[in-house]
Amino acid sequence: MLGQLIMSFLEETGKVFLLFGQALRWSLRRPLYARLIIRQMLEVGVNSIPVVLITATFTGMVLALQTHTGFQRFNAESLVGTVVALSMTRELGPVLTGLIVAGRAGSAMAAELGTMRVTEQIDALYTLATNPVKYLVVPRLIAGILMLPVMTVLSDIVGIYGGFFVSVRVLDANRTIYLRRTWDFLQFSDIYSGLVKAAFFGLVISLIGCYKGFYTRGGAEGVGRATTGSVVISSMVILISDYILTAVLF
């Protein structure tokens, strides 16, 4: 039983890397399919903005509230802005954005490609002399890599503002001290490292979503399994790789 699980895991992992290699090779060849890339950027990024902004805002607000309550015990309330800014840029911004996009856009990729697979639309592309990896997978990978950092920047900004709102407006913290503490300890490497994480998460979400959809089997039931699987696997890979990237980047 354990041996079968290990073999199945290695087989699936090998297929994912094989699909990534094919996408990497085809991404260097013309045509570029710019319209498809822009369409996917809208789907992955623009359509996810409301959910990302709401999540980041309330995360920053809760973080400020909890941090203030804890720091008040040893008179360190002035560091709330620092904690909120570092937490959002280093961890919460990229990770929460990745999980949200995985649930929304990654599942949509798996469902769309899975439906195309079971209805033989992907096979039809071969008859039209169009490579499906080039036409379907490459635009989604590029869109994921480009849009996740953009979404993370928005998430960082609104999350930090949410913390500022709670601290200054609700908890009566000094505005000047809060802003000074926020920017004094925030370094460019904190923001840059978070964006590197976000780009990697974008690659993971798009690659796993495309893989689960591209190799869907079993009709409508198989599409459902592919959609669920893409969200679960993407979320797990994001959380596991977040630890590894944090250990490497910081």
Side-chain angles (χ1 to χ4, degrees):
M1 184 64 179
L2 180 60
Q4 291 179 346
L5 290 176
I6 293 175
M7 291 300 297
S8 176
F9 172 76
L10 293 177
E11 182 181 359
E12 293 285 318
T13 304
K15 287 182 178 179
V16 171
F17 279 102
L18 182 61
L19 180 63
F20 177 64
Q22 293 176 352
L24 192 62
R25 188 174 75 248
W26 280 102
S27 66
L28 302 176
R29 300 182 182 181
R30 294 186 177 184
L32 185 58
Y33 295 128
R35 289 186 178 180
L36 293 178
I37 295 174
I38 294 173
R39 184 188 304 169
Q40 292 304 319
M41 290 173 70
L42 293 174
E43 179 63 30
V44 172
V46 176
N47 294 340
S48 300
I49 285 178
V51 184
V52 170
L53 294 185
I54 292 173
T55 303
T57 301
F58 282 93
T59 299
M61 295 171 68
V62 170
L63 186 60
L65 194 61
Q66 290 281 23
T67 306
H68 182 273
T69 303
F71 282 12
Q72 199 174 30
R73 299 174 183 176
F74 41 88
N75 297 321
E77 301 94 319
S78 61
L79 294 176
V80 171
T82 303
V83 173
V84 172
L86 292 180
S87 300
M88 290 303 303
T89 54
R90 285 187 170 207
E91 290 298 328
L92 297 178
V95 172
L96 290 178
T97 302
L99 293 176
I100 291 169
V101 174
R104 191 195 164 280
S107 60
M109 292 180 190
E112 184 179 2
L113 296 190
T115 302
M116 294 181 68
R117 170 61 74 185
V118 299
T119 56
E120 299 182 349
Q121 294 181 55
I122 292 180
D123 297 329
L125 289 175
Y126 288 106
T127 64
L128 299 173
T130 300
N131 186 283
V133 175
K134 171 72 174 175
Y135 187 75
L136 298 173
V137 177
V138 172
R140 287 169 171 79
L141 291 185
I142 294 175
I145 294 171
L146 293 179
M147 291 309 297
L148 259 292
V150 176
M151 303 294 291
T152 298
V153 170
L154 295 176
S155 177
D156 292 344
I157 293 173
V158 298
I160 292 173
Y161 178 77
F164 170 82
F165 177 81
V166 169
S167 297
V168 176
R169 301 293 184 184
V170 179
L171 302 174
D172 292 327
N174 184 283
R175 174 197 295 264
T176 304
I177 294 177
Y178 186 92
L179 292 175
R180 183 182 299 169
R181 291 291 186 180
T182 297
W183 301 116
D184 281 352
F185 296 98
L186 186 63
Q187 300 178 355
F188 178 72
S189 60
D190 299 320
I191 302 173
Y192 172 79
S193 301
L195 298 184
V196 171
K197 284 185 179 181
F200 181 78
F201 296 158
L203 171 64
V204 167
I205 294 167
S206 302
L207 182 61
I208 293 177
C210 290
Y211 166 75
K212 298 300 289 186
F214 203 79
Y215 292 101
T216 295
R217 295 288 186 275
E221 185 179 354
V223 175
R225 286 197 302 269
T227 303
T228 304
S230 70
V231 177
V232 173
I233 296 174
S234 297
S235 300
M236 292 176 62
V237 173
I238 286 173
L239 296 176
I240 294 171
S241 61
D242 179 54
Y243 172 80
I244 299 172
L245 291 173
T246 299
V248 172
L249 294 173
F250 298 103

